[in-house]
Amino acid sequence: MALRHAVLAALLDEELSGYQVTKAFAAGVANFWHALPQQVYAELAKLEKEGLVAGREVVQEGRPNKRLFRVTGEGLGELESFASAAAKPAFLREDLLVQVQAADHLDADVLIERLTERYAFAEAKAALFEEQLRRMRGGLDEAEFLLRGASRVGPYLTCRRGRDFERANRDWCRDVMEVLRARRVQVREGD
Amino acid sequence: MALRHAVLAALLDEELSGYQVTKAFAAGVANFWHALPQQVYAELAKLEKEGLVAGREVVQEGRPNKRLFRVTGEGLGELESFASAAAKPAFLREDLLVQVQAADHLDADVLIERLTERYAFAEAKAALFEEQLRRMRGGLDEAEFLLRGASRVGPYLTCRRGRDFERANRDWCRDVMEVLRARRVQVREGD
DNA sequence: GGGGACATGTAACGGGTTACATGATTTT
DNA sequence: AAAATCATGTAACCCGTTACATGTCCCC
């Protein structure tokens, strides 16, 4: 039941529409949680009914009207009690890990295709995160920003975790490919 | 729908009972997937009905009888076609990330408690993985084992990913705590 | 005698994913 | 003219989690 808290956390620093929240949670750039648009809209409706967020209609010209949401005092309380309870650690749950687990029984070429794809994805996502971090830092170097920066450090720290996660995925893909290629050569020499 | 493939992958190298598979998937040490006992038993039943695994009754003395499962030719085919399709990349989905995202609006002490807990958990899990890796390597150093080792490298490579994931979690917790503490001091100086 | 391993499930619930739906406006 | 962006949902399904259930044997 952490989606509700993720949505609340996303709304802490600025008033956003459901659409903007879904963009923050978009598959490619989600830095601290992931959710589909349908989930976000449903969760916002629930949160509003419970008084944890408040929405206001904004009439627009040239594009559809929208509803902007902000976190209420009760909403912040909900987040506080969420942070007071022990967080459940997450597990790695990647299709690719299952495939590599079976590596010794599968065709190496097929696996290398999968690893190449994942490598590219991880590289691209890490670059996106890196770009976001650069923008958040502004002109400051990281230590300076984290210690004395005026802006919020929470989003920066979660984004950094996202970047490092994808870097680790990238490096792992690279290493696994190296091993598979080396062993394939090994097998040929053994013939 | 990757649980079925995770179960198949777990059975590739040895015949196992449902209970042994659940142990392989146990929360603390799951190196490439995570599943609860109920899921494993249900999945094994389905896989057997579909002919992807074959079970045989083993009568035991002094403890309950058990059923050992092995992957059939069809089961291996299923895994092959699974590996042929593009794997969906996973997302980080950690309660703690949500909590840190909201760090600037929450009590630092409470967050540091959460981070300390997660740090200890990550450290312990990384150590477990490291121990497993050491056992798999036997006497060989890693490069030697991966290149010329006779045993299966798939499980080793996924376990290494698990270890590095938890190390990254640990280091991130450490860094975040450092930032929160430094900024707390900063705030006091600003008074 | 109690707790932990061994061994295998059923049932209910809730959250996440997939598919579908609508409609205006801006960009290519 | 087609595709992408803005903007918001409904409905069905599957999977994962939580809670509950049962019984033996071994070790402290």
Side-chain angles (χ1 to χ4, degrees), chain B residues 1 3 33-36 38-39 46 62-64:
Chain B
M1 232 231 267
L3 171 60
W33 201 258
H34 173 249
L36 299 166
Q38 306 93 300
Q39 284 176 277
K46 257 197 279 179
R63 50 183 63 178

Side-chain angles (χ1 to χ4, degrees), chain B residues 119-138:
Chain B
Y119 180 97
F121 179 85
E123 177 75 15
K125 215 168 148 187
L128 270 176
F129 282 132
E130 184 61 45
E131 174 57 23
Q132 267 188 242
L133 290 169
R134 216 177 50 74
R135 248 182 295 142
M136 284 192 258
R137 278 197 304 270

Side-chain angles (χ1 to χ4, degrees), chain A residues 98-111:
Chain A
V98 176
Q99 295 169 353
V100 169
Q101 172 81 13
D104 304 284
H105 303 267
L106 298 175
D107 181 22
D109 289 328
V110 170
L111 268 186

